[in-house]
Amino acid sequence: MASRISYLLVLAVWIGALWIGLDFATRPKPVPTAVPTTEVDWADFFAANILPNLPVADEFDTPLRPPDGAGAVITLPFLEEGHLGEDWTTAPGDAALGEPVYSLSDGWVSVAWDSSGFGKVVFICYRLADGRYPPFVEVMYAQLQEIDVAAGQFVKRGQKIGTVGNANGTYKAHLHWEVRQTVGLGLGAGFDSRRDGWLGPSEFLQAHRGDRFKQPLLPRVLTKEQRDGWGTDY
Ligand SMILES: [Zn+2]
């Protein structure tokens, strides 16, 4: 009797398993509710896949005449007339053409491109140490004459990335550079009434210089009267 009951139990389990199996086989497959598209949000992709792999940048130097910018001047400061960056140069007229431009810190080149309006441009992403704000910046180095780096390349602090240019004679020689606290803003216009996402370059350098933070930055800001003949975006 007991063996007949266990035989029937085994048979019942088999039939049940077969029925469930057939049911799964014939049931329509569920459709994912979030259908992936071909478009990838660059900021999300950067945060998830690139930022964690970047070196931590805990010291920052000036882009011209590092580490303190001795001999460089600021010909157009941040936010004057809506300026979203700073213009730096080392000599009046075009005498600064070919002046080396250096990476502020250890970082990763996100863009190296020959634009039209901004000359050659290099964008470098820098990851700040944990607990620092913002967690990263993307720095735009614009109006370059030559570029020494390629997109996707890692660079070191103080590594030469290009030279100061003049956008094929549109301006006098200067470096226009911007510090952005997000990626993917593109070239931008250089000027805007809104500054969301942009940081003051000198202010950023001073805040994140590292152990040498007590040394002041040396570039002086030329007054409007002093700027005559010097390279700016005008
Ligand atoms: Zn500028």
Side-chain angles (χ1 to χ4, degrees), residues 76 83 85-87 174-177 190-191 232-233:
L76 190 59
H83 196 215
E86 286 178 355
D87 292 346
H174 72 282
L175 170 72
H176 169 97
W177 64 293
F191 292 83
T232 74
D233 295 335

Side-chain angles (χ1 to χ4, degrees), residues 199-211:
L199 301 174
S202 288
E203 195 181 342
F204 174 83
L205 275 185
Q206 197 66 61
H208 299 284
R209 301 207 67 213
D211 293 339

Side-chain angles (χ1 to χ4, degrees), residues 11-98:
L11 190 65
V13 167
W14 267 105
I15 289 171
L18 186 65
W19 181 81
I20 290 170
L22 285 173
D23 186 48
F24 268 111
T26 54
R27 194 183 297 173
K29 298 287 183 292
V31 177
T33 50
V35 180
T37 67
T38 52
E39 282 204 20
V40 174
D41 184 282
W42 172 236
D44 291 346
F45 184 88
F46 174 85
N49 299 289
I50 294 179
L51 183 60
N53 298 310
L54 296 193
V56 172
D58 48 12
E59 290 187 326
F60 285 80
D61 291 343
T62 54
L64 300 185
R65 308 278 175 94
D68 298 312
V73 294
I74 298 173
T75 53
L76 190 59
F78 184 59
L79 294 186
E80 186 177 312
E81 311 282 348
H83 196 215
L84 292 178
E86 286 178 355
D87 292 346
W88 286 35
T89 190
T90 55
D94 272 333
L97 268 183

